[in-house]
Amino acid sequence: MTLIPLSSKKIFTNKNINLIATDMDGTLTRYGKFSASLFKALEALAVANISVLIVTGRSAGWVQGLKSYLPVTGAIAENGGVFFLGNSEEPKLLTPIADLITHRQNLATTFAYLKSHFPKIKESTDNPFRLTDWTFDVQGLTIAELHQLEQLCQAKNWGFTYSTVQCHIKPEKQTKATSLLQVLNSYFPQLTTENLITVGDSPNDETLFDQSIFPVSVGVANVLHYQDKLKFLPTYVTSLAEGEGFRELAELVLQMRSH
């Protein structure tokens, strides 16, 4: 499948884009940091009444703080496990979990099982701030090893995914796509997927690229590093990488809105 360059502008035949649902690390960041140009892009979108919803693998603890300081309408954390709306500090679980303490204990047991097979894996520093999943660092792991880790998780009835930053042990059906649909239905009933652009850069974003669910998706240019590893590919790809790619998308959306 050939990715269409965002510069083709075919994406902007629809002027009714009202929401951009975007990954964070590697998509909004640049070299791991937020840039001044990103803040300007987010502020310009807000002025134009185009909402931005962050959909990230980062922990509930991190996201609770970040969404309060950014001009965004809300944020989904832990690859679909938790949602924070607007200025609310209350985490809303999107995955039904009867007992979070037992759930965390089961995740810890599964991590120990993985570590018995891969002693080099290291728990991520933000793991203590998580509710629904368990993370360890992706650095140093080969694609073959990532596949083996996925198989080990599946054997224990857990889901597995990874990004440019972390590997995630998670509930099997917990994905960015399922959570985004839940949030749209519950909190944005006036919108349909036709009013939405999904944006990402890595394997944990691939459900956001499923065109049978989300008709318009965009990968920032660094998604090309994973092109042969994704089940679903974005409809369009930016010419620029990371946060500059998001800025490129924002500028084109705003141009279309003004015409």
Side-chain angles (χ1 to χ4, degrees):
M1 178 179 176
T2 302
L3 298 178
I4 303 171
L6 187 65
S7 57
S8 70
K9 298 187 180 179
K10 293 179 182 178
I11 186 175
F12 300 109
T13 55
N14 180 1
K15 294 187 179 183
N16 297 317
I17 297 299
N18 295 309
L19 178 66
I20 300 176
T22 177
D23 172 54
M24 187 166 66
D25 288 281
T27 304
L28 295 182
T29 59
R30 185 181 183 193
Y31 306 121
K33 305 289 184 182
F34 292 139
S35 66
S37 62
L38 171 72
F39 291 128
K40 290 179 181 178
L42 291 175
E43 289 168 354
L45 289 167
V47 168
N49 293 318
I50 299 170
S51 299
V52 174
L53 179 71
I54 294 176
V55 190
T56 178
R58 287 294 188 177
S59 68
W62 281 32
V63 171
Q64 182 185 41
L66 281 172
K67 62 86 189 167
S68 298
Y69 291 102
L70 295 173
V72 297
T73 194
I76 296 171
E78 301 181 11
N79 287 311
V82 185
F83 177 57
F84 295 94
L85 176 65
N87 294 322
S88 173
E89 298 297 321
E90 180 185 356
K92 302 180 185 299
L93 288 182
L94 298 176
T95 297
I97 297 172
D99 185 336
L100 280 172
I101 294 175
T102 300
H103 178 73
R104 298 296 302 168
Q105 291 170 342
N106 291 338
L107 284 167
T109 299
T110 303
F111 176 69
Y113 170 70
L114 297 184
K115 196 168 178 64
S116 70
H117 288 78
F118 292 89
K120 68 179 179 179
I121 62 175
K122 181 181 178 182
E123 182 180 348
S124 300
T125 57
D126 71 342
N127 202 56
F129 310 110
R130 293 182 174 275
L131 296 174
T132 66
D133 68 352
W134 190 284
T135 53
F136 53 97
D137 297 345
V138 75
Q139 286 80 9
L141 292 169
T142 66
I143 293 299
E145 288 172 331
L146 289 167
H147 285 316
Q148 292 173 43
L149 287 161
E150 181 177 22
Q151 291 169 355
L152 290 170
C153 286
Q154 289 174 345
K156 296 290 186 180
N157 298 316
W158 289 101
F160 175 85
T161 191
Y162 67 96
S163 68
T164 56
V165 181
Q166 298 167 316
C167 298
H168 301 257
I169 309 166
K170 62 185 184 67
E172 286 186 292
K173 296 181 180 179
Q174 183 170 301
T175 70
K176 289 189 174 185
T178 54
S179 67
L180 179 54
L181 290 175
Q182 280 182 261
V183 167
L184 286 175
N185 289 333
S186 298
Y187 300 98
F188 302 93
Q190 74 280 14
L191 301 181
T192 72
T193 54
E194 299 292 332
N195 306 123
L196 170 71
I197 298 175
T198 54
V199 194
D201 77 304
S202 63
N204 69 324
D205 301 316
E206 69 175 351
T207 60
L208 297 180
F209 301 149
D210 185 348
Q211 291 185 41
S212 69
I213 304 173
F214 305 111
V216 180
S217 61
V218 175
V220 290
N222 38 305
V223 77
L224 297 174
H225 297 313
Y226 298 101
Q227 188 169 358
D228 60 346
K229 302 174 183 69
L230 297 174
K231 180 180 178 182
F232 303 109
L233 293 174
T235 316
Y236 303 91
V237 63
T238 63
S239 62
L240 301 174
E242 298 196 303
E244 289 302 292
F246 180 84
R247 180 182 59 79
E248 178 185 344
L249 168 63
E251 288 179 353
L252 289 173
V253 171
L254 289 166
Q255 285 175 18
M256 187 61 193
R257 176 62 69 88
S258 65
H259 289 163

